[in-house]
Amino acid sequence: ASTTLTHILALWLRFCFLILSLSGMNAAVRAVVRMGLYVGAKVYFIHEGYQGMVDGGENIREATWESVSSMLQVGGTVIGSARCKEFRTHEGRLKAAHNLVQRGITNLCVIGGDGSLTGANLFREEWSGLLGELVDQGLIEADAVQKYSALHIVGMVGSIDNDFCGTDMTIGTDSALHRIIEVVDAIMTTAQSHQRTFVLEVMGRHCGYLALVSALACGADWVLIPEMPPEDGWEEKMCQKLSATRSRGTRLNIIIVAEGALDRHGKSITSSFVKDLVVKCLGFDTRVTILGHVQRGGTPSAFDRILASRMGVEAVLALLETTANTPACVVSLCGNQSVRLPLMECVQMTQEVQKAMDEKRFEEAVKLRGRSFENNLKTYKLLAHRKPESELNFNVAVLNVGAPAAGMNAAVRSAVRVGISEGHKMFAVSDGFEGFYKGQIKEIKWADVGGWTGQGGSLLGTKRTLPAKHVDKIAEQMRKHNINALLVIGGFEAFLSLLELLTARGKYDEFCVPMVMVPATVSNNVPGSDLSIGADTALNAITTTCDRIKQSASGTKRRVFIIETMGGYCGYLASVGGLAAGADAAYIYEEPFDIRDLQANVEHLTEKMKTSIQRGLVLRNENSNENYTTDFIYQLYSEEGRGVFDCRKNVLGHMQQGGAPSPFDRNFGTKISAKAMQWISKKLVETFRQGRVFANTEDSCCLLGMRRRALVFQPVVQLKEETDFVHRIPKEQWWLKLRPLMKILAKYKTSYDVSDSGQLEHVVRNRPKESDASVAM
């Protein structure tokens, strides 16, 4: 049975939450404040970090619903953050304890890095002793020791370096990657007129995550990170690689250097050293770009807003459920799931990484970073450094099917290069199955896909055409080109296509080959996968546009915007985009609504407009209801809000499908496609008998999807039971659980199901392969 928060509040209404934000995200602050108020607690935030806790006074202020309005799109932390030497002393922590007890605060939500979280845990361990000292000094009454006997702490990790063990992603990392990729994309345009080598220095004094993922996202020629110093003689190998790339006609070389990059002897490798090396050995025109604190600034990405909002709510739930015997925990992300881990276990493993690096145990350091980091490194090596081809000699075709989605090109590039590395001859099919039956098939080489990661749309071309009507001609082309396996990258049409080809196996042996689908659609409506390539880019387009639309009303009278999103019958973009943009309502097909719901929403928004907010935002999925159209909702809100607010409407349309892919989509597409190609290689070997490939079992026609924490190969025929074919959506969709969260943060009174909330787990040094999500970048 599901448990609602109203069942667990009685014992907690007398406690308060305090938010200590250190290099965190405002979305997390907003979520903790509003969730705290929702459960009936008093909420405070502390300004200027631990320094404000020690100083007290006006630094610790009670938070209200309105005090966190209009902060989702603001970078950094609006309540400030500061390093505090005094908090490192016993006397400083004694002052901090006094300031908290005066306000009855016994629950801390700390957003920071490992140092901040370690300090919070020490504070928690000393708490009872500190209260005893305060009583002895006459600063608090003796009964306060009993009343405030335990200090409860839950942490969220805010760090752009993603250097905290136990979580796939820390709050702020994705936004930093956006800044880096924006610069790389801008640099790449200069290559149209100049042949240059660019050395890009990114942050990461002790962790190479930003450098590594940026290199994957832009297809860099070389990357230098502290966890894996290059072998002796790397200088010559790097120059040979750059020279070979340039000789193939590439006008641009990119080298990414983490600021903490070292060689095998512990000597620093600086960006200026790399530049001088390239100029001296190759004579290439070389430029250095040091991004510095640009990476820390800017508007938070959609991913970070959603992550921070989910983590903030989970942190409040964790505080509500904690007891005196519960260890301090940190809220983490594993795949697509929020989990709670013991804080000090995570801190200890994070420290072990640095110790391994100091002792030159680099391979162990990479493993300790986690499977996500390890797989990023393996994928980069697989794609960036061409290996001697093996002797498999199979022909594999890759094609895009359905509507274009940002990240498709990164997926094709990854498939082609992994396939070639594994000894296959790769064939590119233009315009999906329409091009297939017309014979638009040609071999594609390693160099042909250079620079594809940052390109939007589909360079191969894509159509919605299904194969059933032309199955005989497609079989003929399969036979003509001796195609031994198919990799299909696309949306719901790609899923339908594999089902049709699976059926055609009974008549055509040509389709008795390994076939795998990688989901790529902005709608995120493919059964068998929580996430699809392209959806993150679309969410960022929606979020950015909503930010600009809301900003356009700044300084004017109260205004409500009605925004229509894409998605067919799938409400993913409207719901999750609404969570990221701070929407007041989001109308979707999966959650039926009627005129009474619309009226209640208008009245709710009208009441908020009268008392606090200046701007409202309502999202509507394009097929949410055939009668309650965007025009209808716009006219209803305009009429009912007359005298309080006016309305504007926007249909976002195909701008959600365009633009350069986000860092997440580039890397998700790269890694999931590489994994699909490795599966194809394995299946080809397994099914090769008597001089030919013959695969006719269900498990030889699969969809590779993200399921909670795992990337899973699922036979498409088994996914039929999970699919609503009429509306082209899965019957069950994980993101529907985020709907109540969006409503709570918009000040609606609603029940919130906590039956699936994170449970306290333990840090696992090496997760088993089947639970390797590794796609949270």
Side-chain angles (χ1 to χ4, degrees):
S2 67
T3 307
T4 58
L5 282 177
T6 52
H7 297 152
I8 57 176
L9 296 184
L11 298 176
W12 289 93
L13 294 180
R14 63 191 179 92
F15 291 114
C16 310
F17 299 123
L18 173 129
I19 305 169
L20 174 64
S21 179
L22 298 123
S23 302
M25 293 291 289
N26 291 317
V29 174
R30 172 179 177 267
V32 172
V33 169
R34 292 192 169 178
M35 192 66 179
L37 294 174
Y38 169 77
V39 301
K42 259 189 177 181
V43 185
Y44 292 81
F45 27 59
I46 188 163
H47 293 261
E48 311 311 326
Y50 284 129
Q51 189 65 57
M53 187 192 288
V54 172
D55 294 342
E58 284 299 304
N59 289 303
I60 304 176
R61 304 177 202 168
E62 187 172 350
T64 64
W65 194 274
E66 292 74 23
S67 64
V68 291
S69 295
S70 302
M71 63 190 296
L72 267 174
Q73 67 272 25
V74 180
T77 167
V78 298
I79 62 176
S81 176
R83 299 185 187 278
C84 180
K85 291 183 178 179
E86 196 172 357
F87 189 76
R88 297 179 183 178
T89 67
H90 183 79
E91 292 74 16
R93 294 191 291 275
L94 189 66
K95 290 181 183 178
H98 185 217
N99 288 325
L100 297 190
V101 171
Q102 284 183 314
R103 294 164 178 81
I105 296 170
T106 55
N107 294 276
L108 297 185
C109 179
V110 183
I111 311 170
D114 61 332
S116 306
L117 297 176
T118 301
N121 188 65
L122 175 62
F123 190 42
R124 169 183 170 275
E125 291 174 345
E126 292 182 344
W127 181 255
S128 59
L130 294 172
L131 296 193
E133 289 185 48
L134 291 172
V135 170
D136 293 341
Q137 295 177 17
L139 295 175
I140 62 174
E141 299 294 330
D143 62 352
V145 176
Q146 181 66 30
K147 188 176 182 181
Y148 306 118
S149 59
L151 179 67
H152 306 294
I153 290 174
V154 171
M156 287 182 280
V157 189
S159 165
I160 69 166
D161 292 331
N162 202 31
D163 57 352
F164 192 81
C165 293
T167 184
D168 287 347
M169 283 286 276
T170 57
I171 298 170
T173 302
D174 187 67
S175 298
L177 287 169
H178 273 258
R179 302 293 89 76
I180 295 169
I181 295 306
E182 285 166 8
V183 171
V184 172
D185 286 349
I187 283 174
M188 292 184 79
T189 61
T190 70
Q192 304 302 320
S193 54
H194 300 282
Q195 290 194 20
R196 279 185 177 156
T197 296
F198 284 92
V199 181
L200 192 69
E201 183 181 304
V202 301
M203 282 186 164
R205 191 172 303 145
H206 304 293
C207 179
Y209 185 87
L210 288 178
L212 179 57
V213 175
S214 300
L216 262 178
C218 70
D221 297 279
W222 204 268
V223 64
L224 295 159
I225 60 173
E227 290 88 348
M228 189 53 66
E231 300 287 347
D232 291 345
W234 66 271
E235 298 92 340
E236 183 179 351
K237 291 179 181 177
M238 183 186 74
C239 290
Q240 287 174 352
K241 171 79 188 302
L242 298 178
S243 182
T245 304
R246 190 68 66 89
S247 67
R248 289 194 292 266
T250 302
R251 302 178 65 86
L252 172 70
N253 298 116
I254 294 182
I255 303 165
I256 295 185
V257 184
E259 61 179 333
L262 303 168
D263 66 15
R264 290 273 162 174
H265 308 287
K267 182 181 177 183
S268 176
I269 302 175
T270 65
S271 51
S272 58
F273 173 80
V274 175
K275 174 199 169 182
D276 293 341
L277 177 66
V278 174
V279 172
K280 178 183 176 182
C281 296
L282 300 175
F284 289 173
D285 187 4
T286 306
R287 298 287 188 274
V288 172
T289 300
I290 300 175
L291 292 186
H293 281 73
V294 167
Q295 296 155 90
R296 291 191 180 276
T299 302
S301 67
F303 183 98
D304 266 334
R305 299 186 198 194
I306 297 160
L307 173 64
S309 297
R310 291 177 67 185
M311 296 300 100
V313 168
E314 187 66 31
V316 174
L317 295 178
L319 282 170
L320 287 173
E321 296 168 13
T322 193
T323 67
N325 298 322
T326 305
C329 77
V330 61
V331 179
S332 302
L333 180 73
C334 179
N336 194 33
Q337 294 296 116
S338 59
V339 297
R340 303 174 194 169
L341 299 171
L343 170 59
M344 293 316 295
E345 284 187 20
C346 297
V347 169
Q348 183 179 3
M349 187 172 288
T350 302
Q351 293 170 347
E352 284 181 23
V353 175
Q354 189 59 50
K355 182 180 179 183
M357 290 165 59
D358 292 341
E359 296 174 358
K360 296 183 171 55
R361 293 181 282 115
F362 299 113
E363 290 188 6
E364 184 179 346
V366 169
K367 290 183 183 299
L368 287 170
R369 278 275 182 238
R371 195 168 287 276
S372 176
F373 187 95
E374 187 177 7
N375 280 331
N376 276 314
L377 185 57
K378 286 180 180 177
T379 305
Y380 177 78
K381 289 179 177 179
L382 196 64
L383 296 171
H385 306 294
R386 186 172 181 174
K387 297 180 294 185
E389 296 170 14
S390 67
E391 298 299 321
L392 289 178
N393 292 322
F394 291 111
N395 293 349
V396 181
V398 57
L399 66 159
N400 295 333
V401 177
M408 275 183 163
N409 298 319
V412 172
R413 170 186 177 269
S414 176
V416 169
R417 292 198 168 179
V418 172
I420 291 172
S421 289
E422 301 207 343
H424 307 311
K425 185 180 287 187
M426 299 299 298
F427 288 84
V429 182
S430 300
D431 297 334
F433 283 106
E434 184 174 315
F436 211 136
Y437 81 80
K438 290 179 179 178
Q440 296 171 207
I441 306 168
K442 65 177 182 179
E443 186 178 355
I444 187 166
K445 301 292 185 68
W446 184 279
D448 295 336
V449 292
W452 278 34
T453 53
Q455 299 292 315
S458 168
L459 293 175
L460 285 185
T462 182
K463 295 286 181 66
R464 296 179 183 271
T465 306
L466 297 178
K469 291 182 180 179
H470 311 285
V471 71
D472 54 338
K473 294 181 180 178
I474 294 171
E476 181 183 336
Q477 293 296 332
M478 293 275 288
R479 187 166 56 252
K480 177 181 177 181
H481 293 89
N482 190 28
I483 301 299
N484 305 122
L486 282 180
L487 172 59
V488 182
I489 301 166
F492 203 85
E493 288 87 358
F495 173 61
L496 295 176
S497 296
L498 283 199
L499 287 173
E500 292 181 357
L501 294 180
L502 187 65
T503 301
R505 280 179 171 178
K507 188 175 180 181
Y508 300 95
D509 284 351
E510 287 80 5
F511 300 120
C512 293
V513 297
M515 296 184 284
V516 64
M517 173 193 164
V518 168
T521 168
V522 301
S523 302
N524 198 32
N525 64 330
V526 177
S529 188
D530 291 352
L531 301 171
S532 297
I533 300 166
D536 184 72
T537 303
L539 284 175
N540 277 286
I542 292 168
T543 304
T544 301
T545 304
C546 288
D547 286 348
R548 292 177 179 176
I549 286 172
K550 288 197 293 185
Q551 190 180 47
S552 72
S554 180
T556 67
K557 60 182 179 180
R558 293 181 173 92
R559 183 165 288 168
V560 173
F561 296 94
I562 315 295
I563 311 294
E564 181 183 299
T565 67
M566 295 178 78
Y569 286 96
C570 181
Y572 176 80
L573 291 181
S575 296
V576 182
L579 179 60
D584 296 278
Y587 300 113
I588 62 171
Y589 166 78
E590 293 91 342
E591 193 173 282
F593 58 96
D594 57 25
I595 193 65
R596 290 178 292 275
D597 297 312
L598 291 170
Q599 184 64 31
N601 293 154
V602 173
E603 291 173 357
H604 178 80
L605 192 51
T606 302
E607 191 62 31
K608 285 207 299 183
M609 284 284 189
K610 287 178 179 178
T611 57
S612 56
I613 66 170
Q614 299 291 315
R615 290 157 286 177
L617 184 67
V618 175
L619 271 60
R620 177 188 175 274
N621 168 245
E622 58 184 349
N623 288 345
S624 56
N625 189 292
E626 62 179 339
N627 294 314
Y628 300 133
T629 63
T630 302
D631 283 338
F632 178 92
I633 293 174
Y634 162 69
Q635 291 167 5
L636 176 67
Y637 273 75
S638 295
E639 181 62 31
E640 297 299 317
R642 195 183 300 275
V644 179
F645 58 80
D646 64 359
C647 276
R648 297 289 187 272
K649 67 174 179 178
N650 292 81
V651 178
L652 300 186
H654 282 75
M655 66 167 291
Q656 295 159 85
Q657 280 185 315
S662 68
F664 183 93
D665 277 332
R666 298 182 196 201
N667 288 290
F668 186 30
T670 296
K671 288 191 284 188
I672 195 171
S673 194
K675 194 174 184 73
M677 278 305 306
Q678 290 172 326
W679 177 87
I680 283 176
S681 294
K682 180 183 175 184
K683 285 294 180 184
L684 284 170
V685 172
E686 289 176 358
T687 58
F688 185 71
R689 296 290 183 274
Q690 298 177 338
R692 62 168 292 192
V693 173
F694 189 82
N696 65 347
T697 57
E698 287 184 358
D699 66 354
S700 63
C701 183
C702 285
L703 179 147
L704 175 55
M706 170 79 170
R707 281 287 179 94
R708 293 171 69 89
R709 304 187 189 189
L711 279 173
V712 184
F713 289 95
Q714 304 147 96
V716 292
V717 69
Q718 294 179 13
L719 295 174
K720 290 172 70 174
E721 292 300 316
E722 302 180 21
T723 307
D724 176 352
F725 286 96
V726 174
H727 299 100
R728 298 159 61 90
I729 56 175
K731 290 179 181 177
E732 293 186 10
Q733 302 186 83
W734 68 272
W735 51 264
L736 286 171
K737 293 182 178 180
L738 300 181
R739 297 273 299 170
L741 170 56
M742 187 190 73
K743 294 176 182 178
I744 289 169
L745 298 181
K747 211 173 184 178
Y748 283 91
K749 294 179 180 178
T750 184
S751 62
Y752 186 71
D753 186 357
V754 298
S755 60
D756 194 37
S757 63
Q759 302 300 315
L760 190 65
E761 302 179 13
H762 292 281
V763 180
V764 180
R765 290 177 181 272
N766 286 304
R767 292 179 183 136
K769 269 192 174 180
E770 59 268 22
S771 66
D772 169 25
S774 74
V775 294
M777 305 259 260

